[in-house]
């Protein structure tokens, strides 16, 4: 592993534990598989020690040195200072000369003299400064050097001599070799795999597309080196198409398997070829030592056992095992699995896999078994059997082969097996298939594209040409064209395509596709601010639509639940979404399930159930990652949940990654939403200008896409507040006026009124009109209380408290902010509570009576300008530094003079103390 900063993502807790142990003396022994990042951790600890002027000794033996006696000790003593050698007694100096050359002891040289060389030299060095021996790849250290180092450490060299050793596992040489090279007390630690977020961030930093980086966690089991190797091998093309395992990764996996006894590897090959490997399956297949073999494999980190279930870590180990086995070994394993199978279909599958020869009877039997699995809803199993039937199909069954491939593609899509779906669909397109088969295959490829539909122009064109005038084929193609237009931010084209979808679906007698088309038309109408969306959605809900679980999120019931959330009918939205989640759980692809989980998270956020919001959001992120779906939408939801109840820093991280993912996939819809989350996070983190920049970009994108409903993506108030804090009061007022006009066209709701009143109060407070701000923010708090939206209510109270403070009514400010804090704490709104606690502290003032709080009732812009005046800046310099006009600076300074009762810059400077200038949170 490389040891640059990015490779240390997610290692903070581990480094802290190591630092604490070494700080008290003793040693730390790390272990883990190759590529997990042990070297990066060692490099970081060594760099910190060197920065403290400690003597750092490094050893990193390689595989070929394991058979070279004294190679390691020769390298080690060569790094020790000359004065340590000169301080040795004569017998040890003679032994040192031989050790430096890696020579074995001469005849007659006392063994004790040779063994005392290293402890005496280390003790001498430790008198001047602390010593840290950093030993990497301890499994390759020659036995003679290991014995001498171990002897030195067993003699208790003192707390100023420490050892940090790392060892690869599995290692046939011994599990605790690194620990035996450490002085007591020795702490043994496993270097854990990176979690999904940490690994994704690492891979993105190396230039991998977000979607690719997101799915690498499961493939690599969190191993950074393996993930980087796999990510670097991803070839251009569809996201579902697997890349070949690069040789560097294959060799790393081979090494882990070579370290296992032959019998264990044979047992694991049977597990790798089983459909659902369990201990019982292996025992029935004749692996009588399966329990012992699996226990050893689990100890070495090759598999994980969950009860009877067996999971390879990483999953690619199973693929390497199967691909590296000989044909005879695979034939034998499949024969054993067939003989031991309980299910006749499973026995049939393994008999078919023993050979690749065509066989009409076997192909028909496999297809019949696939039909039965498909009827039971086992999509993935059905797809595998259909594909296997097509692979074993002789030329005399060419027509049936195409039917089976189409069935495999669809079953794999609903079964959450994108690689199988893509393989089957491309096989249909490559063959001389009928037009209907080819269109259905192209629909599968379109569904596999996810948010990247904008890149599928050729596939759309071919599907339309092959569909001809057949409405049953045209309707589903048009439906996907509608969604592609949505994603690229073209509502006019989306409305036109949705209309064509509805027309074709009616001609084909397809009420499900018709209802989905009408639902998308309602979404466009709402986006444009057209009140007729209500009638359109009602029309869709009246149709006898039964969308499959994987298309549930395009149906009218889901759309109605989303609109209920946007209109602040949160209980209604939650009840419907929970019903839909039961159905969506059958979506093996995961997209419908992910969408319902995302919506439940957003509803929980608005309802003030912050812990529930985080749980739903992270379930959605995990599900999308597991299914290989586009990460932009789920990262947006995670950012929103983190803004309410998690961490502002985490929210900003999710939103930034969501922006990049949406840009890469041409997803204008979630680019705008992630920009909103990013703008909010940066504003609340104090990065006002960066937040305003993100929200201005969102505003421009909304204008280009024709967005008009301020309640869909509620960015107007955030942008206005940020602009006001920068002194851009006219632009802030114009932003809110635009939002009010749009809300009036759609029909004001209590949520709309409360949201815009609170935003206006923020702008008024920043503009020095605190009296009006108090009235509006108090009214907004009442609106949100009636709507049972505690986070929004507490936010309004926080704004009210800030305005009261600027009126120098500190008791009233404490009452409003205290009430906000109580609500935030009850809702588990951690970042809001922290911000509110800081605001409350600013109302406390000095302990002496009559002394006002440090901000003196100034707005954030006024505080910044006053501070720069105190520091001697001219008006022009202030304008340049804060990106304001000189006129804005002059007007703001006039308000500051009035509020503080001063008449000149000199009086202002004498009035302000350094401690008084604290920016509001």
């Amino acid at each position: 592993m490389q040891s640059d900063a990015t490779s240390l993502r997610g290692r903070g807790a581990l480094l802290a534990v190591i630092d604490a142990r070494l700080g008290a003396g003793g040693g730390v022994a790390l272990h883990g598989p190759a590529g997990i990042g042990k070297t990066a951790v060692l490099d970081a600890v060594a760099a910190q020690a060197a920065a403290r002027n400690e003597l750092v000794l490094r050893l990193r033996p390689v595989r070929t040195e394991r058979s070279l006696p004294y190679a390691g000790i020769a390298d080690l003593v060569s790094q020790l200072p000359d004065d340590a050698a000169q301080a040795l007694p004569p017998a040890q100096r003679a032994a040192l000369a031989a050790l430096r050359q890696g020579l074995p002891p001469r005849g007659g040289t006392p063994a004790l003299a040779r063994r005392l060389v290293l402890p005496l030299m280390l003790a001498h060095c430790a008198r001047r400064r602390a010593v840290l021996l950093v030993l990497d790849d301890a499994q390759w250290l020659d036995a003679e050097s290991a014995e001498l180092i171990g002897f030195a450490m067993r003699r208790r060299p003192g707390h100023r001599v420490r050892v940090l050793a790392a060892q690869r596992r599995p290692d046939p040489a011994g599990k605790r070799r690194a620990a035996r090279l450490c002085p007591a007390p020795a702490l043994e630690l496993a270097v854990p795999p990176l979690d999904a977020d940490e690994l994704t961030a690492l891979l993105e930093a190396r230039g991998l597309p977000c979607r690719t980086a997101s799915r690498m966690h499961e493939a690599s089991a969190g191993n950074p080196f393996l993930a980087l190797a796999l990510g670097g091998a991803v070839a251009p093309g569809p996201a579902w198409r697997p890349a070949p395992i690069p040789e560097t990764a294959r060799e790393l996996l081979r090494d882990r398997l070579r370290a296992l006894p032959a019998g264990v590897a044979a047992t694991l090959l049977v597990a790798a070829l089983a459909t659902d490997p369990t201990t019982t399956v292996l025992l029935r297949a004749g692996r009588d030592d399966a329990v012992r073999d699996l226990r050893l494999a689990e100890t070495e980190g090759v598999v994980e056992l969950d009860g009877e279930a067996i999971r390879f870590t990483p999953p690619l180990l199973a693929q390497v095992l199967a691909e590296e086995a000989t044909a005879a070994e695979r034939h034998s394993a499949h024969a054993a699995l067939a003989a031991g199978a309980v299910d006749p279909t499973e026995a049939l599958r393994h008999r078919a896999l023993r050979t690749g020869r065509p066989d009409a009877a076997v192909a028909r039997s496999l297809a019949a078994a696939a039909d039965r699995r498909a009827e039971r809803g086992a999509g993935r199993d059905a797809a595998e059997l259909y594909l296997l039937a097509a692979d074993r199909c002789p030329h005399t069954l060419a027509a049936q082969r195409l039917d089976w491939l189409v069935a495999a593609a669809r079953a794999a899509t609903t079964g959450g097996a994108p690689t199988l779906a893509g393989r089957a669909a491309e096989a249909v397109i490559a063959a001389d298939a009928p037009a209907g088969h080819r269109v259905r295959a192209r629909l599968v490829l379109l569904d596999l594209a996810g948010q990247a539909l904008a890149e599928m122009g050729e596939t759309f064109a071919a599907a339309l040409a092959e569909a001809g005038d057949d409405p049953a084929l045209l309707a589903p193609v048009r439906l996907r064209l509608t969604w592609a237009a949505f994603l690229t931010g073209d509502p006019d084209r989306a409305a036109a395509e949705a209309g064509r979808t509805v027309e074709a679906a009616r001609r084909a007698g397809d009420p499900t596709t018709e209802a989905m088309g009408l639902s998308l038309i309602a979404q466009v109408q709402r986006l444009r601010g057209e009140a007729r969306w209500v009638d359109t959605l009602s029309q869709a809900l009246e149709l006898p639509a039964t969308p499959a679980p994987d298309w549930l999120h395009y149906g009218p019931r889901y759309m109605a639940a989303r609109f209920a959330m946007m209109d602040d009918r949160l209980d209604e939205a939650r009840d419907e979404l929970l019903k839909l989640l039961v159905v969506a759980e059958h979506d093996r692809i995961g997209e419908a399930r992910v969408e319902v989980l995302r919506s439940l998270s957003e509803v929980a956020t608005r309802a003030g159930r912050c812990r529930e919001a985080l749980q739903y959001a992270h379930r959605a992120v995990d599900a999308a990652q597991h299914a290989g779906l586009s990460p932009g939408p789920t990262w947006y939801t995670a950012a929103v949940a983190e803004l309410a109840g998690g961490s502002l820093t985490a929210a900003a991280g999710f939103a930034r990654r969501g922006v990049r993912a949406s840009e890469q996939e041409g997803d204008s819809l979630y680019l705008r939403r992630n920009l909103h989350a990013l703008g909010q996070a940066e504003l609340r983190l104090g990065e006002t200008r960066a937040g305003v920049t993100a929200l201005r970009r969102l505003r421009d994108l909304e204008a280009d896409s024709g967005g008009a409903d301020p309640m869909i993506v509620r960015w107007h108030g955030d942008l206005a507040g940020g602009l006001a804090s920068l002194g851009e009061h006219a632009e802030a007022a114009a932003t809110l006026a635009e939002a009010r006009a749009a809300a009036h066209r759609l029909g004001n709701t209590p949520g709309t009124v409360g949201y815009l009143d609170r935003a206006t109060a923020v702008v008024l407070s920043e503009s020095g009109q605190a009296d009006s701000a108090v009235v509006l923010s108090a009214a907004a708090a009442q609106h949100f209380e009636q709507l049972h939206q505690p986070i929004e209510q507490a936010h309004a109270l926080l704004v009210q408290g800030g305005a009261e403070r600027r009126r120098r009514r500190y008791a009233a400010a404490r009452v409003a902010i205290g009430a906000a804090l109580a609500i935030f704490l009850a809702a588990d709104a951690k970042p809001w509570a922290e911000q509110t606690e800081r605001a409350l502290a600013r109302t406390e003032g000095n302990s002496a009576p009559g002394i006002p709080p440090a901000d003196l009732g100034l707005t954030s812009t006024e505080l910044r300008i006053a501070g720069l005046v105190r520091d001697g800046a001219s008006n022009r310099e202030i304008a340049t530094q804060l990106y304001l006009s000189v006129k804005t600076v002059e007007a703001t300074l006039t308000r500051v003079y009035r509020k503080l009762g001063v008449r000149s810059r000199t009086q202002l400077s004498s009035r302000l103390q350094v401690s008084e200038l604290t920016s509001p949170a």
Side-chain angles (χ1 to χ4, degrees):
M1 279 293 297
Q2 295 182 6
S3 57
D4 55 72
T6 58
S7 62
L8 287 178
R9 292 180 186 273
R11 300 303 189 203
L14 179 63
L15 289 171
V17 172
I18 294 172
D19 187 61
R21 174 68 276 165
L22 295 179
V28 175
L30 302 178
H31 60 83
I36 200 67
K38 301 182 297 295
T39 299
V41 173
L42 265 60
D43 288 347
V45 175
Q48 292 172 353
R52 294 191 296 265
N53 198 34
E54 296 180 12
L55 175 60
V56 179
L57 309 171
R58 299 295 303 264
L59 276 184
R60 190 178 184 186
V62 296
R63 188 192 300 261
T64 55
E65 294 173 357
R66 190 169 188 169
S67 58
L68 294 176
Y70 302 102
I73 199 70
D75 187 5
L76 178 57
V77 296
S78 69
Q79 299 176 54
L80 293 168
D82 291 339
D83 60 348
Q86 294 167 5
L88 290 172
Q92 278 73 41
R93 279 203 301 272
L96 174 62
L99 290 175
R100 279 177 167 168
Q101 301 175 58
L103 298 175
R106 296 177 181 176
T109 303
L112 183 59
R114 188 175 68 257
R115 291 187 172 205
L116 287 175
V117 170
L118 184 58
L120 289 174
M121 294 182 77
L122 290 175
H124 177 84
C125 294
R127 294 189 192 102
R128 296 185 177 181
R129 52 178 173 157
V131 178
L132 177 65
L133 169 57
V134 179
L135 172 56
D136 202 357
D137 283 331
Q139 72 277 0
W140 305 134
L141 185 65
D142 62 276
E144 293 79 5
S145 297
E147 172 58 28
L148 293 177
I149 295 173
F151 177 83
M153 298 309 150
R154 288 193 299 274
R155 292 184 63 84
R156 298 188 178 277
H159 71 278
R160 288 172 63 80
V161 176
R162 292 82 40 77
V163 175
L164 175 62
Q167 175 183 5
R168 180 181 300 181
R169 288 191 184 174
D171 176 26
K175 297 178 182 176
R176 303 192 67 249
R177 194 176 206 209
R180 292 195 296 269
L181 297 172
C182 294
L187 176 64
E188 295 186 67
L189 297 171
V191 179
L194 294 180
D195 68 26
D197 291 340
E198 293 158 349
L199 187 67
T200 300
L202 166 64
L203 296 175
E204 283 184 61
R206 300 299 183 90
L208 264 70
C210 296
R211 189 172 181 180
T212 300
S214 181
R215 72 173 188 265
M216 280 298 126
H217 183 265
E218 184 174 7
S220 66
N223 185 301
F225 179 84
L226 183 56
L228 286 166
L230 294 173
V234 173
W240 57 263
R241 186 178 294 157
I245 302 176
E247 189 56 34
T248 52
R250 188 177 290 274
E251 185 59 31
L252 183 147
L253 296 171
R254 282 196 199 106
D255 273 349
R256 295 183 65 179
L257 296 171
R258 286 191 195 109
L260 299 171
V264 175
T267 296
L268 292 179
L269 174 61
V270 178
L273 296 176
T275 305
D276 294 305
T278 65
T279 306
T280 298
V281 166
L282 297 184
L283 290 170
R284 290 180 63 88
R287 303 307 303 176
D288 296 336
D289 290 327
V291 174
R292 184 202 65 183
D293 292 345
L294 289 173
R295 188 184 305 117
L296 178 58
E298 183 181 34
T299 301
E300 300 298 354
V302 175
V303 298
E304 291 179 351
L305 302 179
D306 182 7
E308 282 242 319
I310 303 164
R311 179 179 179 272
F312 284 88
T313 53
L316 286 174
L317 276 171
Q319 181 180 338
V320 171
L321 265 169
E323 291 176 353
E324 300 282 318
T326 66
E329 289 170 335
R330 290 195 298 273
H331 182 283
S332 175
H334 281 302
L337 286 164
V342 174
D343 180 12
T345 300
E346 193 63 19
L348 172 65
R349 175 181 176 272
H350 285 293
R351 286 198 299 272
L353 286 169
R354 289 181 302 178
T355 177
R357 296 172 184 168
D359 187 314
V362 169
R364 287 193 177 97
S365 297
L366 288 166
D371 291 339
R372 292 191 295 271
R373 291 294 173 94
E375 289 172 3
R376 288 162 44 190
R380 186 186 187 98
D381 290 347
E384 289 180 342
L385 292 167
Y386 280 129
L387 268 173
L388 190 53
D391 290 342
R392 298 298 181 268
C393 193
H395 66 87
T396 55
L397 299 179
Q400 290 94 323
R401 175 178 177 272
L402 292 174
D403 292 339
W404 295 337
L405 286 171
V406 171
R410 182 57 190 157
T413 303
T414 58
T419 299
L420 295 178
R423 176 187 155 200
E426 288 197 332
V428 172
I429 293 169
D432 185 18
H437 284 46
R438 296 171 68 84
V439 171
R440 293 182 183 93
R442 295 191 194 280
L443 289 172
V444 168
L445 295 179
L446 291 170
D447 292 343
L448 293 176
Q451 306 300 111
L453 277 174
E455 302 170 8
M456 301 295 286
E458 291 185 20
T459 303
F460 274 121
L464 287 172
E466 291 161 348
D469 294 327
D470 186 341
L473 296 176
L474 277 173
V477 177
R478 293 291 183 191
L479 182 66
R480 288 156 177 83
L481 279 167
T482 304
W483 188 241
F486 255 117
L487 295 177
T488 55
D490 190 344
D492 293 336
R493 186 162 63 88
E497 290 294 353
R500 297 185 186 106
T501 299
V502 171
E503 179 185 355
R506 283 175 181 161
R507 286 167 48 208
D510 180 357
T512 297
T513 302
E514 181 184 352
M516 290 190 285
L518 287 169
S519 298
L520 291 171
I521 290 174
Q523 190 170 350
V524 174
Q525 290 169 340
R526 169 125 200 190
L527 182 67
R528 288 170 166 172
E530 300 173 7
R532 55 182 175 151
W533 68 264
V534 177
D535 295 333
T536 304
L537 184 59
S538 298
Q539 186 181 351
L541 287 166
E542 291 170 0
L543 289 168
T546 55
D550 55 318
W551 277 85
L552 189 71
H553 54 303
Y554 293 106
R557 288 179 59 195
Y558 178 74
M559 201 66 66
R562 288 288 300 180
F563 288 168
M565 180 189 72
M566 294 174 190
D567 293 333
D568 297 306
R569 293 177 279 119
L570 301 182
D571 291 340
E572 176 186 336
R574 186 172 186 268
D575 289 346
E576 184 62 32
L577 287 168
L578 287 172
K579 294 174 187 175
L580 292 174
L581 183 61
V582 175
V583 181
E585 292 290 358
H586 297 289
D587 171 25
R588 298 297 299 276
I589 263 182
E591 189 168 358
R593 178 169 170 262
V594 166
E595 287 301 308
V596 175
L597 287 170
R598 288 197 325 98
S599 293
L600 280 167
S601 176
E602 292 175 37
V603 168
T605 298
R606 294 191 186 183
R609 295 188 291 269
C610 295
R611 189 174 301 173
E612 179 182 309
L614 285 168
Q615 290 170 348
Y616 278 130
H618 288 285
R619 279 177 64 187
V621 169
D622 292 342
Q625 202 162 51
H626 179 73
L629 300 175
S630 302
T634 53
W635 284 343
Y636 162 72
T637 301
V640 172
E642 293 285 348
L643 281 169
S647 154
L648 294 180
T649 301
F654 276 120
R656 287 191 187 96
R657 287 155 53 198
V659 167
R660 291 197 297 273
S662 301
E663 289 172 335
Q664 290 167 5
E665 300 203 338
D667 184 350
S668 172
L669 180 64
Y670 279 95
L671 172 58
R672 299 196 299 274
R673 294 183 181 185
N674 276 294
L675 283 170
H676 183 215
L678 178 59
Q680 291 179 86
E682 288 179 325
L683 288 175
R684 290 172 58 189
L685 284 166
E687 301 292 334
T688 307
R689 187 155 298 279
V692 167
T693 299
L695 293 170
R696 277 174 166 159
R697 184 184 175 195
L698 163 58
R699 177 191 61 191
D700 296 341
L701 289 170
E702 285 268 296
D704 293 340
S705 68
D709 189 342
M711 298 304 285
I712 295 179
V713 183
R714 305 181 179 188
W715 55 268
H716 300 78
D718 298 307
L719 176 56
L723 289 168
S725 70
L726 292 176
E728 303 289 346
H729 302 297
E731 186 179 347
T735 299
L736 289 178
E738 175 188 343
R740 285 192 182 277
H744 180 71
R745 286 196 305 273
L746 287 168
N748 286 322
T749 65
T752 308
V753 172
Y755 162 69
L756 293 176
D757 280 354
R758 186 185 63 207
T760 304
V762 172
V763 173
L764 290 172
S765 183
E766 288 288 346
S767 304
Q769 302 176 58
D771 293 344
S772 299
V774 167
V775 174
L776 279 176
S777 54
Q782 291 177 355
H783 281 302
F784 290 125
E785 183 179 14
Q786 294 167 1
L787 291 170
H788 305 292
Q789 295 186 32
I791 302 297
E792 304 293 352
Q793 177 192 356
H795 186 185
L797 288 169
L798 183 59
V799 173
Q800 180 185 348
E804 291 283 17
R805 190 181 71 243
R806 283 163 182 163
R807 290 206 296 177
R808 303 192 187 185
R809 295 182 54 183
Y810 301 113
R814 283 191 289 274
V815 169
I817 297 174
L821 179 59
I823 294 172
F824 285 138
L825 290 172
D828 290 318
K830 180 182 174 184
W832 279 115
E834 292 171 350
Q835 178 179 340
T836 307
E837 285 170 346
R838 293 193 296 271
L840 188 61
R842 288 198 303 275
T843 68
E844 299 298 332
N846 195 292
S847 58
I851 303 297
D855 63 13
L856 299 171
L858 301 179
T859 68
S860 56
T861 304
E862 291 166 352
L863 278 170
R864 282 194 288 269
I865 289 176
L868 290 170
V869 167
R870 180 207 59 200
D871 294 339
S874 67
N875 288 356
R876 186 169 298 280
E877 289 170 339
I878 295 170
T880 301
Q881 184 169 336
L882 298 182
Y883 302 95
L884 301 173
S885 68
V886 175
K887 287 186 177 180
T888 298
V889 173
E890 292 172 348
T892 304
L893 199 52
T894 299
R895 290 199 302 272
V896 171
Y897 285 177
R898 183 175 65 250
K899 287 183 177 183
L900 300 185
V902 299
R903 297 184 178 181
S904 68
R905 300 170 89 91
T906 302
Q907 290 179 350
L908 175 61
S909 298
S910 64
R911 175 76 187 273
L912 298 176
Q913 300 297 322
V914 174
S915 61
E916 291 177 332
L917 295 178
T918 54
S919 298

